[in-house]
Amino acid sequence: MTRTTPVISSWAGAQEEEPVMKDIISDLRQWCTEGTEFALATVVETWQSAPRPLGAALALSTDGDVIGSVSGGCVEGAVIDVARDVLSDGQPRRVRYGVANESAFTVGLTCGGTIELFVTRVDDNLRSLITALTDAIDHGHAAAVATLITGPHQGARLLITDPTTSGPPADTGLTGELEHAVRAATQGQLAAGRSAQIQLGGEGPHCLTDVTVFVEAYVPPPRMIIFGAIDFAAALARLGSFLGYHVTVCDARAVFATPQRFPDADEVVVAWPHVHLDQVTLDERTVLCVLTHDPKFDIPLLVKALRRPARYIGAMGSRRTHADRLAALRREGLTDNELARLRSPIGLDLGGRTPEETAISIAAEIIACTGGGSGLPLSATDNPIHRC
């Protein structure tokens, strides 16, 4: 039997499901290359208003250097003390801090959430894994790391990359049915692009004893495609890059679509928008922002976009433009369900006027759409601040 704990994300940006150890992976690789001894603490479970998401990591070297964060500062001091103990005796530890814990206020986790950490000393096997993981990320490949956090092989790790897989280090003891179960669970999370804590064993067929596995799934950044090479697009490209998207700006007018005008975009494409859309792969994380507000560009593009997978499809224009656009799309045969996916006029009502302010309103709507937020002031709602 396999039981998966749902991902609980503490922020609603582009990569809310991506483990944030990626934030420090380059520094970790440098420590591995230099032979630095260090302990690694990773968030493997969160509840309620946890300050950081699954996969958040902090590393402590034997020289006392610290990189990363597991709580935004709330419990870092206590975690560093645990990491020192792990460096001293080499024994991995699971620790939990939360509002229900009598030590919550002592260590500073007063936000109402709970986090569980797995802290381990980095050995040669983990150094090799970090290096291989960094290589996969650098080449844009999806990868997942499975860490056994309970059971007789606590601390053992398995790296799986897509499309190829790498086996476990020879001395971890992950062999036979246990290896098969861990590998299958990890591949499942990698395919979904989600990090999660998974329980294996119990009544299941794969292992004789219960084990808990934390799977960190690393996937390439989601795409943001901005159609319309205008000033608003430049501001939105900056925000999209900041939020972790791979940003493309597309426009059929070569005089406007230049890399010099969009330095924050990963690519600038000169093409008719609907033609370019046919040439790219979209998925459920893709964001499409149509800023051209010109029917000859908008209508052919939206006819295709609203029938393809995407997390967010927004179009700029006045309310009159929106009404005319809907009528034109209906004449093209789009259904009410397809039209319901369109966010238009694009953005939240923030009262902004400048390109930068407008970009913030668009980004805010994308974040709300991604995280399931209402777009209302937090003071006007009773919802949890950080959504499960």
Side-chain angles (χ1 to χ4, degrees), residues 290-294 298 314-323 325 343-347 358 362:
V290 182
L291 309 186
T292 48
H293 51 81
D294 183 332
D298 292 358
M316 178 175 279
S318 67
R319 297 192 186 281
R320 179 174 179 177
T321 298
H322 172 61
R325 182 187 290 136
R343 305 270 180 155
S344 175
I346 195 170
T358 302
I362 296 171

Short mmCIF file of all heavy atoms in Angstrom, two decimals, residues 290-294 298 314-323 325 343-347 358 362:
data_model
loop_
_atom_site.label_atom_id
_atom_site.label_comp_id
_atom_site.label_asym_id
_atom_site.label_seq_id
_atom_site.Cartn_x
_atom_site.Cartn_y
_atom_site.Cartn_z
N VAL A 290 -2.18 37.59 -23.37
CA VAL A 290 -2.41 38.19 -24.68
C VAL A 290 -2.57 39.69 -24.48
O VAL A 290 -3.61 40.16 -24.00
CB VAL A 290 -3.65 37.58 -25.35
CG1 VAL A 290 -3.86 38.17 -26.74
CG2 VAL A 290 -3.52 36.05 -25.42
N LEU A 291 -1.56 40.45 -24.86
CA LEU A 291 -1.54 41.89 -24.61
C LEU A 291 -1.68 42.70 -25.90
O LEU A 291 -1.57 43.93 -25.87
CB LEU A 291 -0.25 42.29 -23.90
CG LEU A 291 0.12 41.51 -22.63
CD1 LEU A 291 1.35 42.13 -21.97
CD2 LEU A 291 -1.04 41.44 -21.65
N THR A 292 -1.91 42.05 -27.02
CA THR A 292 -1.95 42.76 -28.31
C THR A 292 -3.20 43.61 -28.46
O THR A 292 -3.17 44.63 -29.14
CB THR A 292 -1.88 41.75 -29.46
OG1 THR A 292 -2.84 40.71 -29.23
CG2 THR A 292 -0.50 41.13 -29.56
N HIS A 293 -4.31 43.20 -27.86
CA HIS A 293 -5.65 43.80 -28.02
C HIS A 293 -5.90 44.31 -29.45
O HIS A 293 -6.32 45.43 -29.69
CB HIS A 293 -5.94 44.87 -26.97
CG HIS A 293 -4.91 45.94 -26.79
ND1 HIS A 293 -4.82 47.02 -27.62
CD2 HIS A 293 -3.95 46.11 -25.87
CE1 HIS A 293 -3.85 47.81 -27.21
NE2 HIS A 293 -3.30 47.28 -26.16
N ASP A 294 -5.62 43.40 -30.39
CA ASP A 294 -5.87 43.65 -31.81
C ASP A 294 -6.54 42.39 -32.36
O ASP A 294 -5.94 41.31 -32.32
CB ASP A 294 -4.55 43.92 -32.53
CG ASP A 294 -4.73 44.28 -34.00
OD1 ASP A 294 -5.72 43.83 -34.61
OD2 ASP A 294 -3.87 44.99 -34.55
N ASP A 298 -5.53 38.63 -31.87
CA ASP A 298 -6.15 37.99 -30.72
C ASP A 298 -7.04 36.82 -31.08
O ASP A 298 -6.95 35.75 -30.44
CB ASP A 298 -7.00 39.02 -29.96
CG ASP A 298 -6.17 40.09 -29.28
OD1 ASP A 298 -4.94 40.02 -29.38
OD2 ASP A 298 -6.77 40.98 -28.65
N GLY A 314 -5.06 34.96 -20.18
CA GLY A 314 -5.60 36.29 -19.95
C GLY A 314 -5.42 37.15 -21.19
O GLY A 314 -4.46 36.98 -21.95
N ALA A 315 -6.35 38.06 -21.40
CA ALA A 315 -6.29 38.94 -22.57
C ALA A 315 -6.57 40.38 -22.15
O ALA A 315 -7.51 40.66 -21.40
CB ALA A 315 -7.30 38.50 -23.63
N MET A 316 -5.74 41.30 -22.65
CA MET A 316 -5.86 42.71 -22.34
C MET A 316 -6.92 43.37 -23.22
O MET A 316 -7.12 42.97 -24.38
CB MET A 316 -4.51 43.40 -22.52
CG MET A 316 -4.51 44.89 -22.26
SD MET A 316 -2.83 45.59 -22.34
CE MET A 316 -2.22 45.16 -20.71
N GLY A 317 -7.54 44.41 -22.67
CA GLY A 317 -8.52 45.17 -23.45
C GLY A 317 -9.59 45.76 -22.56
O GLY A 317 -9.76 45.35 -21.40
N SER A 318 -10.32 46.72 -23.10
CA SER A 318 -11.42 47.34 -22.36
C SER A 318 -12.58 46.37 -22.25
O SER A 318 -12.59 45.30 -22.88
CB SER A 318 -11.87 48.60 -23.09
OG SER A 318 -12.47 48.26 -24.33
N ARG A 319 -13.59 46.75 -21.49
CA ARG A 319 -14.77 45.89 -21.37
C ARG A 319 -15.51 45.80 -22.70
O ARG A 319 -16.07 44.74 -23.04
CB ARG A 319 -15.68 46.42 -20.26
CG ARG A 319 -15.00 46.38 -18.89
CD ARG A 319 -15.96 46.62 -17.75
NE ARG A 319 -15.25 46.71 -16.48
CZ ARG A 319 -14.81 45.67 -15.79
NH1 ARG A 319 -15.03 44.44 -16.24
NH2 ARG A 319 -14.17 45.84 -14.65
N ARG A 320 -15.50 46.87 -23.45
CA ARG A 320 -16.12 46.81 -24.78
C ARG A 320 -15.34 45.87 -25.69
O ARG A 320 -15.92 45.07 -26.43
CB ARG A 320 -16.19 48.21 -25.39
CG ARG A 320 -16.81 48.22 -26.78
CD ARG A 320 -17.00 49.63 -27.31
NE ARG A 320 -17.56 49.63 -28.66
CZ ARG A 320 -17.88 50.72 -29.32
NH1 ARG A 320 -17.70 51.92 -28.77
NH2 ARG A 320 -18.39 50.63 -30.54
N THR A 321 -14.00 45.98 -25.62
CA THR A 321 -13.16 45.07 -26.41
C THR A 321 -13.43 43.63 -26.02
O THR A 321 -13.50 42.73 -26.87
CB THR A 321 -11.68 45.40 -26.22
OG1 THR A 321 -11.42 46.72 -26.70
CG2 THR A 321 -10.79 44.41 -26.94
N HIS A 322 -13.59 43.40 -24.71
CA HIS A 322 -13.86 42.05 -24.23
C HIS A 322 -15.18 41.53 -24.78
O HIS A 322 -15.26 40.38 -25.23
CB HIS A 322 -13.89 42.06 -22.70
CG HIS A 322 -14.34 40.77 -22.10
ND1 HIS A 322 -13.67 39.58 -22.29
CD2 HIS A 322 -15.43 40.47 -21.34
CE1 HIS A 322 -14.30 38.60 -21.66
NE2 HIS A 322 -15.37 39.11 -21.07
N ALA A 323 -16.22 42.36 -24.78
CA ALA A 323 -17.52 41.93 -25.29
C ALA A 323 -17.43 41.61 -26.78
O ALA A 323 -17.97 40.59 -27.25
CB ALA A 323 -18.56 43.01 -25.03
N ARG A 325 -14.75 40.74 -28.35
CA ARG A 325 -13.90 39.55 -28.48
C ARG A 325 -14.70 38.28 -28.23
O ARG A 325 -14.58 37.29 -28.97
CB ARG A 325 -12.72 39.67 -27.50
CG ARG A 325 -11.74 38.52 -27.56
CD ARG A 325 -10.73 38.67 -26.44
NE ARG A 325 -9.83 39.78 -26.65
CZ ARG A 325 -9.48 40.67 -25.72
NH1 ARG A 325 -9.98 40.58 -24.50
NH2 ARG A 325 -8.64 41.63 -26.00
N ARG A 343 -9.50 34.91 -18.94
CA ARG A 343 -9.47 35.99 -17.95
C ARG A 343 -9.36 37.31 -18.68
O ARG A 343 -8.28 37.69 -19.15
CB ARG A 343 -8.28 35.80 -17.02
CG ARG A 343 -8.21 34.44 -16.34
CD ARG A 343 -8.95 34.46 -15.03
NE ARG A 343 -8.89 33.17 -14.37
CZ ARG A 343 -9.01 33.00 -13.06
NH1 ARG A 343 -9.18 34.06 -12.28
NH2 ARG A 343 -8.97 31.81 -12.53
N SER A 344 -10.48 38.00 -18.80
CA SER A 344 -10.48 39.25 -19.57
C SER A 344 -11.61 40.13 -19.07
O SER A 344 -12.73 39.63 -18.84
CB SER A 344 -10.67 38.95 -21.06
OG SER A 344 -10.79 40.12 -21.81
N PRO A 345 -11.34 41.42 -18.84
CA PRO A 345 -10.04 42.09 -18.97
C PRO A 345 -9.01 41.50 -18.00
O PRO A 345 -9.36 41.13 -16.88
CB PRO A 345 -10.34 43.54 -18.61
CG PRO A 345 -11.81 43.71 -18.86
CD PRO A 345 -12.42 42.37 -18.51
N ILE A 346 -7.79 41.43 -18.44
CA ILE A 346 -6.74 40.75 -17.71
C ILE A 346 -6.37 41.50 -16.43
O ILE A 346 -6.42 42.73 -16.37
CB ILE A 346 -5.49 40.59 -18.62
CG1 ILE A 346 -4.51 39.57 -18.04
CG2 ILE A 346 -4.83 41.94 -18.86
CD1 ILE A 346 -3.39 39.22 -19.01
N GLY A 347 -6.03 40.74 -15.37
CA GLY A 347 -5.52 41.33 -14.14
C GLY A 347 -6.57 41.55 -13.07
O GLY A 347 -7.78 41.45 -13.31
N THR A 358 0.33 47.74 -13.89
CA THR A 358 -0.53 46.79 -14.62
C THR A 358 0.06 45.39 -14.58
O THR A 358 -0.67 44.40 -14.41
CB THR A 358 -0.71 47.26 -16.07
OG1 THR A 358 -1.27 48.58 -16.08
CG2 THR A 358 -1.62 46.31 -16.84
N ILE A 362 -1.61 41.85 -13.19
CA ILE A 362 -1.67 40.60 -13.96
C ILE A 362 -1.01 39.48 -13.18
O ILE A 362 -1.54 38.37 -13.05
CB ILE A 362 -1.02 40.78 -15.33
CG1 ILE A 362 -1.80 41.80 -16.17
CG2 ILE A 362 -0.95 39.44 -16.08
CD1 ILE A 362 -1.10 42.21 -17.45
#
